[in-house]
Amino acid sequence: MKPPVTIEITARDGEARAGTLDTPHGSVETPTFMPVGTKGTVKGLSREELQDIGAGVVLGNTYHLYFRPGREVVREAGGLHGFTGWDGAMLTDSGGYQVFSLAKTRRISERGVEFASVYDGSVHEFTPELATSVQGDLGADIAMVLDECPPANAPHEYHRDSLRRTARWAERCKEAHAGGDQSLFGIVQGGLFPDLRKESLRLTTDLDFPGYAVGGLSVGESRAEMLEVLEQTAPLLPADKPRYFMGIGDPAGILQVIRLGVDMFDCVLPTRLARHGSVLTRDGRLNLRNARFRRDFSPLDAGCDCPTCAGYSRAYLAHLVREDELLGHRLVTYHNVRFVTRLCEEARGHIRAGDFGAWSETWISRYEGRG
């Protein structure tokens, strides 16, 4: 039986792939950046703005939505689509990232993960079955298995034991998954160790998920280490299924993972940077709090097609940011998210044209000030 979420690859340039991700809530052109809406909202942006930006898939977080507003509320609203009004594709993380980010207040066992709530300190156990069931209530098009994401510097033995437990959890998630209009993706772990990545990949692909994520990267390792692991891992993933890199959102990194065959990726970086007055441009990041922007009446990025660049100057936006005005945060957020979304649009075009490698190297050189 055909799963609810599938991908058709329509063009390749080296390992880079362009295609169409088909979901119950529409088709999404890939490679695609997925804005993160942890608590049911991409910070600062309405659903109408996300549509105008060209976002194809929006993320939600199972851990946070489980606590607030609660799975029952979301289920009664018709899932996240009904609750938020977003009618495009959605993906929910299982809470696996919180296993990493809340390491000081959680305890891992074979059963699952015991958390102290970030909201009131109460203790809750997330099992693979619970994480899968909650994601069923949330109703996103794509759900993720519960996994552990160990820190990059954890020893080989720890990563080995962790990936094997993650594989056992993945099997339990698959058994608990109700199916319907939701696809459940597996996650490959293994840290920076090639032998463990291969073992995790084998254990995970043996479960035959309709899509796969590469996890456990962007968690403290160097960019060179991250890319080396991905270069070894991505080509071994099933070629006819979606490939998802968890947690990358800087423009150079986006192009680098696309080059290695990734179809989907997410990160809070574009929205988080915006809240601190940091802007993504083709010539690198700008910090609007710097004095040099007080009388700079040019747009944030002359090549950008977003309304922020069309209607507001750096000087005005810098003023809003320095004064901590909400409008400033919203306008810069719109720009940053549109910037990475448009970058993916351009990448797709160059993959189809067959010159992605040369184009992306030139683009990265300019962005990093080497052009």
Side-chain angles (χ1 to χ4, degrees), residues 301-358:
D301 188 311
C304 182
D305 62 359
C306 80
T308 301
C309 290
Y312 301 91
S313 70
R314 293 177 176 183
Y316 179 61
L317 293 166
H319 162 69
L320 295 180
V321 166
R322 287 194 300 271
E323 295 302 318
D324 201 28
E325 288 287 345
L326 180 59
L327 178 61
H329 300 310
R330 279 182 30 79
L331 290 172
V332 177
T333 297
Y334 192 112
H335 165 79
N336 280 356
V337 178
R338 176 55 188 158
F339 185 86
V340 295
T341 301
R342 187 170 184 232
L343 180 62
C344 291
E345 293 173 0
E346 293 180 33
R348 294 195 292 267
H350 286 282
I351 293 170
R352 296 185 185 109
D355 64 352
F356 175 80

Side-chain angles (χ1 to χ4, degrees), residues 237-254:
L237 292 169
D240 60 344
K241 295 183 178 182
R243 299 170 177 176
Y244 167 26
F245 185 98
M246 307 180 83
I248 195 159
D250 71 281
I254 285 173

